[in-house]
């Protein structure tokens, strides 16, 4: 029997995974049933195979959840295995969070080495919004895990020119489509560009492979939706949030164009409202959704579900009987207010600064963003980033960059339906590029010359950005002052000493490495504290987030849990 050797790398990876498991699982029961709209749907899904297949919101199978099935299938299976409870329906997402940390380590290590992989895993494990969403029954982090695995396969496919790995990658993205619909396609530009620019096989073959792969992607993506739409309306529940009882219309409309700011969502919320155009009985073939009175008559579940959610009360425009999921909380003021303010992620004007200046957005994701952006620069200089893309480092750098940059632009400028927790889509590319960037900057620092200045300057820039975000919370908590002082001492002092060593041409690499590690500890303190707040206070079920703001937030999860039990009893 082979003896198990615990190397330094395996030991550090184990510590990172343990940290991720603690942040994702510890005291998970305080979250209750989290988003009660989804929790009620999962309870209904455990009652019959029909409800399970169609993702029915109510036990009578009158209307569906306005999301695809796969994420909720996993929750329902977990509930059947472990018994229906808040913990069992949150389990798949918490597991996905920990597994994602391991997968990003493997992907980054494959091209950039173990140090970059470990750093990327640590950065992802301590990203506040990633941790918050891992403890919620929204399915976004199941999607993140799916897309990370797809990136693993496209990395191999692009390097080796293997068609089968491209197909596997696109099948997995298609599976992701059945978790969060078009949100899964945010990584498509990265996948297609990486494979198209790879030089392992001829351009003609690459184009043919991508055409064939696209067909596979579309078949896998739309398979469930087409099956549902082909079933007569009389034999299935109404498609929640659609205007004509069609999954395809839901994909294009509420979960498609409305996310781009095209079309109206004034009578819908993020969780499944139908418009107030009455006159449809269950199973009829008209294009208008069921009215509230008909929903009320369908089941006791639907009659009170508008109240069965965590978050603000329903607006006067919402029919009282139709399902409603997560909504954007009101507020979004600077200075520590939680959440955004409107469906486009806050009251801030859409601009390149939105994710930096809007409380509820900036403090969830932006802590290591400057390192990621400057990391692209450093890695590009290190790898001499220009055609041909003939090695896995160039290809993976392109992959992560093309995941991050288009997604960042979308979240910065979109005027469509967008909730703050969607920012978990940025967590993986930021973590990967920050890990890759730090290692590349270190190599450039050792080489000397003007490129060696990138490392200390980046550490200082990221520290300033963190102080800027912390300043929003300066008057709300004494913890903020402690974090600002710790950050300043650990990050800025270490970076200044690095600069002095460089000016004096002191080549003490051991000391320099210790200073870089100290600076990184300073930069990780705040996001780790932010992530750790979820261990002590339940977040909003409809709008998961982490940070000091939730510590002072009163929770009504006990009453909401009672409502859920009333609904599904």
């Amino acid at each position: 029997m082979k003896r198990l050797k615990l190397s330094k790398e395996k030991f550090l990876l184990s510590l990172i995974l343990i940290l991720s498991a603690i942040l994702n699982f510890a005291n998970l029961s305080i979250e209750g049933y989290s988003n009660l709209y989804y929790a009620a749907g999962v309870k209904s899904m455990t009652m019959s195979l029909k409800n399970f297949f169609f993702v029915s919101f109510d036990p009578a199978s009158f209307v569906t959840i306005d999301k695809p099935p796969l994420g909720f299938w996993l929750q329902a299976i977990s509930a059947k295995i472990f018994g229906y409870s808040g913990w069992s329906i949150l389990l798949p997402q918490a597991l996905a969070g920990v597994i994602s940390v391991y997968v990003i380590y493997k992907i980054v290590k494959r091209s950039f080495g173990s140090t970059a992989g470990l750093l990327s895993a640590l950065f992802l494990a301590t990203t506040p919004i990633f941790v918050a969403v891992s403890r919620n029954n929204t399915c976004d982090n199941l999607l993140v895990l799916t897309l990370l695995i797809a990136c693993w396969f496209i990395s191999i496919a692009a390097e080796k020119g293997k068609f089968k790995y491209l197909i596997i990658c696109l099948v997995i993205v298609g599976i992701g489509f059945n978790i969060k619909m078009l949100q899964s396609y945010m990584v498509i530009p990265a996948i297609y560009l990486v494979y198209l620019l790879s030089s392992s096989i001829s351009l003609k073959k690459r184009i043919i492979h991508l055409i064939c792969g696209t067909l596979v992607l579309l078949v896998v993506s739309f398979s469930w939706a087409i099956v549902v739409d082909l079933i007569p309306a009389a034999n299935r529940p109404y498609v929640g949030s659609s205007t004509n009882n069609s999954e395809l219309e839901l994909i294009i409309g509420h979960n498609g164009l409305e996310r781009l700011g095209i079309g109206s969502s004034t009578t819908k919320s993020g969780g499944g409202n139908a418009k107030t155009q009455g006159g449809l009985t269950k199973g009829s073939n008209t294009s208008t959704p069921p009215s509230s009175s008909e929903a009320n008559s369908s089941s006791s579940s639907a009659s009170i579900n508008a109240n069965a959610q965590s978050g603000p009360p329903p607006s006067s425009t919402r029919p009282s009987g139709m399902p409603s999921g997560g909504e954007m909380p009101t507020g979004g003021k600077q200075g520590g207010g939680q959440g955004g303010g409107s469906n486009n992620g806050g009251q801030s004007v859409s601009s390149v600064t939105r994710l930096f200046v809007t409380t509820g957005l900036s403090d969830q994701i932006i802590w290591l963003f400057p390192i990621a952006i400057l990391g692209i620069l450093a890695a590009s200089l290190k790898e001499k980033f220009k055609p041909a893309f003939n090695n896995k480092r160039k290809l993976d750098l392109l992959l992560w960059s093309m995941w991050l940059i288009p997604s960042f632009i979308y979240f910065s400028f979109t005027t469509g339906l967008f909730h703050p927790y969607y920012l978990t889509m940025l967590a993986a590319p930021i973590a990967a590029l920050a890990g890759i960037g730090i290692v590349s900057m270190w190599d450039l620092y050792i080489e000397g010359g003007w490129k060696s200045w990138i490392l200390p300057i980046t550490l200082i820039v990221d520290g300033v950005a963190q102080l800027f975000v912390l300043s929003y919370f300066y008057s709300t908590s004494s913890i903020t002052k402690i974090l600002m002082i710790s950050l300043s001492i650990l990050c800025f002092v270490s970076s200044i000493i690095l600069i002095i060593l460089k000016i004096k041409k002191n080549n003490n690499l051991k000391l320099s490495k210790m200073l870089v590690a100290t600076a990184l500890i300073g930069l990780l303190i705040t996001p780790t504290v932010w992530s750790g707040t979820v261990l002590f206070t339940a977040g909003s079920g409809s709008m998961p987030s982490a940070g000091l703001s939730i510590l002072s937030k009163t929770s009504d999860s006990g009453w909401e849990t009672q409502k859920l039990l009333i609904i599904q009893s």
Side-chain angles (χ1 to χ4, degrees):
M1 185 175 173
K2 243 184 175 183
R3 218 174 146 191
L4 183 64
K5 291 183 180 179
L6 187 62
S7 63
K8 181 181 178 182
E9 179 184 349
K10 289 180 180 177
F11 176 72
L12 292 174
L13 176 61
S14 299
L15 290 180
I16 293 168
L17 292 174
I18 290 170
L19 172 63
S20 179
I22 291 171
L23 290 173
N24 288 1
F25 282 99
N27 209 13
L28 188 59
S29 59
I30 65 170
E31 302 294 343
Y33 290 88
S34 210
N35 187 311
L36 297 189
Y37 168 67
Y38 296 139
V42 170
K43 180 60 183 287
S44 297
M45 291 167 65
T46 63
M47 295 179 175
S48 73
L49 285 175
K50 178 182 178 181
N51 289 357
F52 179 84
F53 178 78
F54 291 110
V55 201
S56 297
F57 165 74
D58 59 302
S61 197
F62 183 76
V63 67
T64 72
I65 296 173
D66 67 339
K67 295 291 183 289
L70 188 54
F72 299 110
W73 284 350
L74 293 176
Q75 293 180 28
I77 291 169
S78 177
K80 290 296 281 186
I81 294 173
F82 299 105
Y84 181 76
S85 66
W87 183 88
S88 67
I89 64 176
L90 297 180
L91 176 62
Q93 291 73 239
L95 275 174
V98 178
I99 296 171
S100 294
V101 170
Y102 177 76
V103 171
I104 201 171
Y105 156 76
K106 294 293 289 185
I107 299 172
V108 175
K109 177 190 174 182
R110 180 179 175 275
S111 298
F112 290 91
S114 59
T115 301
L118 290 169
L119 286 173
S120 298
L122 178 60
F123 295 158
L124 182 61
T126 54
T127 299
I129 193 61
F130 181 79
V131 173
V133 175
S134 292
R135 298 170 63 91
N136 188 270
N137 56 340
T138 62
C139 298
D140 291 68
N141 276 2
L142 285 168
L143 175 61
V144 169
L145 173 59
T146 302
L147 297 183
L148 280 171
I149 296 172
C151 286
W152 197 343
F153 279 99
I154 194 59
S155 177
I156 299 171
E159 180 197 356
K160 298 182 178 180
K162 295 290 187 180
F163 178 57
K164 66 178 180 180
Y165 291 116
L166 173 67
I167 293 299
I168 293 171
C169 165
L170 293 176
V171 166
I172 293 171
V173 174
I175 291 171
F177 187 93
N178 286 285
I179 296 176
K180 286 286 288 187
M181 290 186 177
L182 290 171
Q183 188 174 328
S184 66
Y185 284 3
M186 293 183 79
V187 78
I188 284 293
I191 290 173
Y192 276 59
L193 193 61
V194 164
Y195 196 79
L196 189 62
L197 294 180
S198 65
S199 57
S200 52
I201 56 175
S202 68
L203 177 60
K204 181 180 177 181
K205 282 187 176 180
R206 280 174 268 154
I207 293 173
I208 293 173
H209 288 179
L210 286 172
I211 291 172
C212 295
T214 301
L215 294 176
V216 172
L217 170 66
L218 294 175
V219 168
V220 176
S221 296
F222 289 89
S223 55
W224 178 81
I226 290 174
V227 169
V228 171
D229 281 0
L230 287 175
I231 295 174
N235 298 329
R236 61 174 173 82
Y238 188 88
V239 177
S241 279
S242 70
T243 59
N244 64 354
N245 196 11
S246 166
E247 288 288 347
L248 292 177
E249 192 282 330
L250 177 65
I251 292 168
I252 296 169
H254 179 63
N255 288 331
L257 295 178
E258 285 184 18
R259 311 289 164 162
L260 300 174
I262 304 171
S264 172
S265 60
T266 55
T267 58
K268 296 180 185 179
S269 75
N273 291 334
K275 294 180 181 177
T276 55
Q277 306 168 7
L280 175 68
T281 57
K282 183 184 177 187
S284 72
N285 224 2
T286 65
S287 61
T288 52
S291 65
S292 59
S293 61
E294 288 154 346
N296 284 331
S297 66
S298 71
S299 69
S300 60
S301 165
S303 67
I304 59 173
N305 70 77
N307 292 322
Q309 58 175 335
S310 51
S315 67
S316 59
T317 61
R318 180 180 303 146
S320 61
M322 296 308 297
S324 175
E327 282 190 21
M328 178 69 66
T330 57
K333 297 178 181 179
Q334 304 295 343
Q338 185 186 357
S342 65
N343 280 343
N344 67 0
Q347 294 176 343
S348 62
V349 177
S350 54
S351 71
V352 73
T353 62
R354 173 193 272 174
L355 300 188
F356 293 91
V357 301
T358 309
T359 310
L361 301 182
S362 60
D363 61 312
Q364 298 303 304
I365 191 64
I366 218 68
W367 303 107
L368 298 176
F369 183 79
I371 294 181
I373 292 299
L374 292 171
I376 295 174
L377 171 63
S380 298
L381 292 171
K382 180 74 174 58
E383 301 303 324
K384 297 178 175 58
F385 191 72
K386 60 183 179 180
F389 295 96
N390 53 4
N391 67 66
K392 58 187 177 182
R393 288 195 171 203
K394 287 184 179 181
L395 291 168
D396 278 13
L397 180 59
L398 180 64
L399 175 67
W400 294 115
S401 301
M402 289 307 298
W403 180 345
L404 175 61
I405 295 172
S407 300
F408 174 80
I409 291 172
Y410 169 77
F411 288 124
S412 296
F413 292 96
T414 183
T415 58
L417 187 62
F418 143 44
H419 299 318
Y421 63 85
Y422 294 172
L423 294 175
T424 193
M425 285 291 292
L426 294 175
I430 287 176
L433 288 167
I436 293 167
I438 289 294
V439 170
S440 299
M441 292 173 201
W442 172 253
D443 290 339
L444 295 175
Y445 183 83
I446 294 174
E447 289 177 11
W450 69 269
K451 298 174 187 176
S452 64
W453 295 98
I454 296 176
L455 176 59
I457 289 172
T458 297
L459 295 172
I460 291 172
V461 168
D462 200 81
V464 170
Q466 291 201 14
L467 287 177
F468 179 72
V469 175
L470 281 169
S471 68
Y472 300 154
F473 302 87
Y474 186 79
S475 60
T476 62
S477 172
S478 59
I479 297 175
T480 306
K481 301 176 182 65
I482 297 172
L483 291 174
M484 295 176 85
I485 293 170
S486 301
L487 167 64
S488 300
I489 294 173
L490 294 174
C491 178
F492 296 143
V493 172
S494 297
S495 300
I496 290 170
I497 296 174
L498 273 176
I499 291 172
I500 293 172
L501 291 177
K502 182 55 61 178
I503 292 172
K504 291 189 172 183
K505 298 183 179 179
N506 186 322
N507 295 321
N508 188 334
L509 294 182
K510 187 174 181 180
L511 175 59
S512 297
K513 192 177 288 187
M514 289 177 59
L515 291 168
V516 172
T518 302
L520 286 176
I521 290 171
L523 293 174
L524 280 174
I525 287 176
T526 299
T528 303
V529 169
W530 237 251
S531 298
T533 58
V534 299
L535 303 181
F536 308 102
T537 305
S540 166
S542 58
M543 289 293 147
S545 64
L548 298 183
S549 58
I550 74 168
L551 293 179
S552 58
K553 182 176 71 69
T554 58
S555 174
D556 58 355
S557 60
W559 169 231
E560 295 299 338
T561 298
Q562 292 179 42
K563 291 176 185 174
L564 177 65
L565 297 176
I566 293 170
I567 289 171
Q568 300 292 17
S569 62

